[in-house]
Amino acid sequence: MEVAPSQWAVLDRISDLHAAGEFEEAEAGARALAAAPRVRGADPWLVPWLAMFTACAAAIAHGRGAQVLPELESMIAAAARRDDSGLDLQARLLELRSNRVVVLVQQDRCAEAEAEALDILRAITRLAHFVVVWETELIVLTNLSAALNGQGRYEEAEAITRGNLPRADELTAALLRSGLVRSLNGQGRYEEALAEVRQLAPLGRADSGIVDFQTARALHGLGRRSEAEAAARSALAACEQFLHPAHPRIQTTRTLLTRITTQDPDSP
């Protein structure tokens, strides 16, 4: 599979935009590259697939996962049918499937997300002998933790996050710790949740509002209603500023804010 050098350069620029949190621009650029005329001598399938890979990832990070899920599933099916898929493409396919897990969690399809994450981890075990996939493995474990939290299985989610924090890099450790805070809040261990949330490193645009949201949950659980309300309002402002209006976190944060402002602080 060959990609023209100029196309690699474009893909690199688009990936840089995505990494910088410029999701709208990254998605638009990726879709334009996918629709561009093919370069002579290059693989006619690979460039559009890689471009759409980035387009879907940017859309999911922005909060439009539900809208791109059909494209995501079509791409997964197309890659799975390839007879000549090399190790790099197989690794990319696992990342794409991991993105699908994120969307399933966002849609509260957490049992499906769990099953998919476990299947990806089995595939990673087979592939790990041939290509470096530990970063993908940690992301999948983070997503598995989210799926378990979404099913109320907080102790299992906590075990996954704590067990993998020591081997995570800074970015992935922040994502794992965020999941840990959610599991602690879910168990009613609010003081511990507050202690953990204070250790969270700054997160990127895709995670806007998470720190304040989890802080608000813990404070509300402790009956510190005015502080919880302030944190929830801060979370909502960040979500509305940096995420797409369809992002599930916006509605979740609004629901929490309503609960804080209308319920007795001792209510569950």
Side-chain angles (χ1 to χ4, degrees):
M1 297 182 295
E2 296 293 334
V3 177
S6 60
Q7 292 177 321
W8 276 128
V10 174
L11 282 168
D12 285 343
R13 286 197 296 272
I14 292 169
S15 295
D16 288 343
L17 287 169
H18 180 240
E22 301 294 339
F23 302 133
E24 302 93 330
E25 192 173 348
E27 182 183 356
R31 289 186 182 278
L33 178 60
R38 303 280 69 81
V39 174
R40 184 183 298 274
D43 188 309
W45 179 87
L46 183 61
V47 170
W49 192 90
L50 290 174
M52 289 306 300
F53 173 98
T54 304
C56 287
I60 292 166
H62 194 203
R64 294 177 43 251
Q67 296 177 35
V68 300
L69 183 58
E71 289 178 307
L72 203 64
E73 293 179 335
S74 176
M75 292 174 62
I76 290 170
R81 289 195 298 266
R82 296 276 290 190
D83 294 330
D84 59 344
S85 56
L87 295 175
D88 287 344
L89 183 58
Q90 290 182 51
R92 290 273 191 164
L93 177 57
L94 294 179
E95 293 178 38
L96 193 65
R97 291 178 62 193
S98 180
N99 286 341
R100 181 174 180 269
V101 174
V102 173
V103 178
L104 292 175
V105 171
Q106 290 178 347
Q107 294 185 325
D108 290 327
R109 297 164 59 183
C110 292
E112 294 175 68
E114 178 191 0
E116 178 74 344
L118 291 172
D119 192 61
I120 297 169
L121 290 172
R122 287 189 287 269
I124 284 175
T125 299
R126 295 191 295 270
L127 196 59
H129 301 289
F130 306 102
V131 64
V132 176
V133 286
W134 67 268
E135 292 177 314
T136 302
E137 180 186 18
L138 282 172
I139 293 298
V140 175
L141 286 165
T142 301
N143 296 336
L144 175 59
S145 171
L148 294 170
N149 274 325
Q151 296 175 76
R153 291 158 60 187
Y154 302 116
E155 293 85 354
E156 294 173 69
E158 179 187 0
I160 288 173
T161 54
R162 288 195 187 279
N164 289 282
L165 270 170
R167 68 188 184 104
D169 58 21
E170 184 177 358
L171 175 60
T172 312
L175 297 175
L176 284 166
R177 196 175 299 279
S178 177
L180 174 59
V181 172
R182 182 181 176 188
S183 68
L184 292 172
N185 271 328
Q187 295 173 69
R189 294 157 61 186
Y190 302 120
E191 292 286 4
E192 293 177 69
L194 279 180
E196 289 290 345
V197 82
R198 292 187 187 107
Q199 297 184 53
L200 275 175
L203 300 172
R205 182 184 172 192
D207 301 296
S208 296
I210 281 183
V211 172
D212 282 331
F213 175 84
Q214 295 296 350
T215 299
R217 282 194 66 195
L219 290 169
H220 184 231
L222 291 169
R224 295 159 61 178
R225 190 170 182 175
S226 60
E227 295 172 80
E229 180 179 348
R233 291 192 185 280
S234 179
L236 183 58
C239 289
E240 291 178 336
Q241 180 178 356
F242 295 112
L243 303 177
H244 190 273
H247 200 296
R249 194 177 305 134
I250 294 178
Q251 184 56 52
T252 301
T253 306
R254 286 174 178 159
T255 300
L256 175 63
L257 181 58
T258 298
R259 187 182 309 131
I260 291 169
T261 55
T262 60
Q263 289 184 350
D264 183 89
D266 294 326
S267 297

